[in-house]
Amino acid sequence: MKPKSLKIIFAILSFLILAWFVPCIIFQISRPQLKWDRSKIDTHKISYPKDFLWGVATSAHQVEGYNTNNQWYLWESAVDEKGNPRIAGGQKSGIACDHWNRYSQDIGLMKELGVKSYRFSVEWSRIEPQEGVFDSMAIKHYQDVCDSLIANGIVPMVTLHHFTNPIWFEKKGAFEKKENVADFIRFTEVVYLALRDRVKLWCTINEPAVYVVEGYFQGANPPGKKDPKLAAVVLRNILEAHVQAYYKIKSLPGGDQMKVGLVKNMTQMDPWRKWHLGDWVFANLIDGVFNGTTLNFLKTGKYRFVMPTMAKLMDENPKAKGALDFIGLNYYSHYNYKFSFNLDKAFQAKLLPGEIKTDMDYASYPEGFYRAIKTVSELGVPIYITENGIADARDDRRELFISQYLYAVSKALSDGYDIKGYYYWTLMDNFEWSLGYDMKFGLYSVDMITQKRTMKQGAKRYQEIIRQSN
Ligand code: GCO
């Protein structure tokens, strides 16, 4: 071969190597994947401010029992195209933890743990069983729950929308139609006026991106659609619902005294191989849609949903900027993506070598908690950790999980991040959506026959941390 052709080959090769590795390096710098030497971490060296709001979280449909008037209840009896049940093993939420009737007892559990706050959701389908018809008994129930919490020194934090819609709302297209947002705002107003004397902390919508991905992209949750274009519309509309709910509350008596926020699940979207450009591009793309779209909208008012070849939607609402008194952060783990032309394969979560698996399809990854706190801090508002916990049926990883994850939060606090509170997900084992009762996130187990609650060994670590920080 002539030296000239060798030179050309060399030049092409160098170009290809650079075009592959330089972007990988840029990704690694711009989206660093933190990894601590966990054997060297002293998880007992943590400190929390005295007024830190320790809490536990639940949501109505997962614990109350017999929420028969929402879209989830219908979904639980439905079958998919192949005739298989929608919920693992054909389970149904049923009586759940009977929290509707047993909330006083459950507040007792909170006291036993020593928590100072309880995040729960109000069930729209109970409060407004028919369009425009409000049930005063259901409203009174939530007033009683709040009264009971307050009497026990526990601060209520209310979520207005946690995945469930009344059947009438679902039937008219739920958040697929922008004009339906008005229904949610009317509901917001009714709940706010009924609870405003008791509640100061409000979460508008729980995990908009999860609602959309599961319901409109992967189809695992109702309405079980797989339509990226519609997913882009629904996310825009549900974020719009947040913005309008925020300003609605602010416009009502006492609204300026309230803290109103959105709850964002921050799953870290990471590459499976850090020197594989395809993995990075893929992870970055998913991160952009799942995390970036929402955060950017809250930061700038600009809505940008882009999934090449699948969906693209641009919109704007300048009022979104500033429609946030705090950000609720739900953090569990990361997903590691492997490039594949077969999307389903790439979407499968892959554990990195050596990672400790939870019972969900993801690993325990406390470093990602620190990263998530850092990312949401860019919104410039205080942070409440509105959910964090582990599905661990054997209860043999919970103690370590709590220790390591709360080490991450403590480190973030000492590095100056403004974190006001932490709510463990969840008080007691409950209905984990499409996975039914198999996923045991609770600090208490629940005997599904007798409804007896029993504190798990792993929960004691949480109790101890709360006690020590007081
Ligand atoms: C969600 C929710 C909770 C879950 C929890 C555990 O993300 O689905 O907010 O309802 O139960 O995150 O998966």
Side-chain angles (χ1 to χ4, degrees):
M1 219 184 271
K2 287 192 187 142
K4 200 173 166 207
S5 6
L6 265 180
K7 258 191 196 160
I8 293 174
I9 292 175
F10 182 74
I12 293 175
L13 271 180
S14 323
F15 173 77
L16 287 177
I17 290 171
L18 281 181
W20 182 271
F21 287 105
V22 170
C24 282
I25 292 170
I26 294 174
F27 273 126
Q28 285 177 28
I29 295 170
S30 62
R31 299 192 45 208
Q33 287 172 281
L34 209 50
K35 185 107 187 76
W36 295 327
D37 180 349
R38 295 191 202 154
S39 60
K40 299 227 172 76
I41 286 172
D42 184 355
T43 54
H44 285 268
K45 250 179 100 193
I46 53 175
S47 85
Y48 281 89
K50 282 253 170 296
D51 60 350
F52 195 72
L53 212 51
W54 293 106
V56 285
T58 65
S59 89
H61 190 72
Q62 296 180 271
V63 295
E64 283 180 355
Y66 297 127
N67 277 324
T68 57
N69 197 21
N70 66 31
Q71 95 280 32
W72 263 93
Y73 196 80
L74 295 185
W75 182 251
E76 291 161 26
S77 310
V79 288
D80 66 12
E81 311 77 41
K82 294 184 194 130
N84 296 319
R86 295 290 189 178
I87 313 298
Q91 300 174 78
K92 295 191 169 63
S93 57
I95 193 171
C97 306
D98 196 23
H99 184 61
W100 181 266
N101 297 308
R102 294 172 193 260
Y103 70 85
S104 303
Q105 181 192 344
D106 294 336
I107 291 171
L109 307 181
M110 296 173 210
K111 290 209 77 167
E112 187 180 22
L113 288 167
V115 300
K116 301 175 193 162
S117 188
Y118 177 42
R119 172 179 175 237
F120 63 98
S121 72
V122 288
E123 177 59 31
W124 186 0
S125 67
R126 286 196 194 254
I127 293 175
E128 190 179 0
Q130 289 171 47
E131 184 168 359
V133 179
F134 291 88
D135 181 343
S136 54
M137 289 309 286
I139 294 172
K140 169 137 193 331
H141 169 86
Y142 291 112
Q143 289 174 328
D144 291 347
V145 172
C146 291
D147 286 342
S148 186
L149 286 166
I150 293 163
N152 282 285
I154 297 173
V155 175
M157 175 188 259
V158 166
T159 305
L160 291 162
H161 188 275
H162 197 126
F163 294 174
T164 54
N165 298 324
I167 290 172
W168 62 261
F169 184 70
E170 189 77 2
K171 279 207 174 124
K172 64 190 272 198
F175 292 104
E176 293 173 24
K177 298 198 181 111
K178 204 171 185 178
E179 63 268 24
N180 291 351
V181 168
D183 293 323
F184 177 69
I185 302 308
R186 183 184 52 207
F187 162 71
T188 298
E189 176 166 0
V190 169
V191 176
Y192 173 73
L193 291 175
L195 298 183
R196 72 180 182 96
D197 295 342
R198 302 156 169 96
V199 179
K200 303 288 170 238
L201 293 170
W202 297 87
C203 302
T204 53
I205 313 269
N206 180 68
E207 302 187 346
V210 173
Y211 175 85
V212 169
V213 168
E214 298 294 337
Y216 292 91
F217 195 79
Q218 294 188 326
N221 289 358
K225 298 187 181 172
K226 294 183 183 179
D227 182 347
K229 286 199 176 65
L230 185 58
V233 171
V234 178
L235 184 58
R236 195 259 328 263
N237 293 348
I238 203 163
L239 289 174
E240 177 62 26
H242 157 74
V243 175
Q244 289 188 26
Y246 178 88
Y247 288 110
K248 175 49 87 185
I249 293 177
K250 292 291 159 177
S251 75
L252 291 168
D256 54 342
Q257 311 291 312
M258 302 293 153
K259 300 260 175 277
V260 185
L262 176 90
V263 172
K264 173 77 187 90
N265 174 306
M266 287 294 297
T267 299
Q268 305 293 354
M269 306 301 179
D270 288 336
W272 168 246
R273 298 155 292 193
K274 65 181 198 177
W275 291 110
H276 195 295
L277 186 55
D279 292 5
W280 271 112
V281 169
F282 204 87
N284 201 48
L285 190 79
I286 309 283
D287 177 68
V289 175
F290 187 83
N291 296 320
T293 301
T294 302
L295 296 179
N296 193 46
F297 180 67
L298 296 171
K299 238 186 264 174
T300 66
K302 291 196 170 54
Y303 183 82
R304 200 171 167 276
F305 185 109
V306 185
M307 291 205 79
T309 75
M310 284 192 258
K312 184 171 177 184
L313 181 63
M314 308 293 202
D315 206 342
E316 197 170 347
N317 179 357
K319 286 181 76 187
K321 204 175 150 189
L324 207 62
D325 299 325
F326 68 88
I327 184 74
L329 168 62
N330 289 0
Y331 174 75
Y332 291 89
S333 185
H334 62 173
Y335 279 141
N336 303 292
Y337 290 101
K338 198 169 189 171
F339 179 80
S340 166
F341 286 108
N342 176 348
L343 274 191
D344 281 344
K345 281 225 169 98
F347 276 117
Q348 277 164 20
K350 307 228 167 36
L351 296 193
L352 296 177
E355 285 193 322
I356 299 175
K357 198 181 164 303
T358 69
D359 292 350
M360 295 291 277
D361 62 357
Y362 48 72
S364 172
Y365 178 50
E367 294 90 335
F369 208 169
Y370 187 90
R371 289 168 57 193
I373 290 167
K374 190 163 175 241
T375 305
V376 298
S377 76
E378 285 164 21
L379 292 166
V381 289
I383 302 166
Y384 284 85
I385 312 293
T386 35
E387 276 179 38
N388 171 246
I390 180 170
D392 174 16
R394 299 192 305 267
D395 195 34
D396 58 3
R397 289 147 289 170
R398 186 166 280 103
E399 185 184 334
L400 184 66
F401 176 95
I402 291 175
S403 296
Q404 292 182 337
Y405 275 58
L406 283 173
Y407 168 84
V409 178
S410 165
K411 182 163 162 50
L413 273 166
S414 66
D415 289 349
Y417 293 104
D418 187 11
I419 310 163
K420 300 288 186 209
Y422 169 97
Y423 294 78
Y424 185 87
W425 182 273
T426 179
L427 174 63
M428 56 200 158
D429 291 341
N430 59 43
F431 181 72
E432 178 60 18
W433 308 111
S434 62
L435 300 170
Y437 289 98
D438 299 349
M439 291 299 137
K440 313 269 185 210
F441 279 91
L443 293 172
Y444 288 80
S445 61
V446 178
D447 183 315
M448 293 312 281
I449 313 273
T450 62
Q451 285 291 339
K452 186 174 185 293
R453 284 92 161 108
T454 310
M455 193 193 273
K456 297 181 190 172
Q457 189 55 37
K460 303 225 162 100
R461 178 73 184 124
Y462 190 42
Q463 200 182 29
E464 179 185 73
I465 291 176
I466 297 174
R467 204 180 294 134
Q468 283 167 0
S469 74
N470 279 328

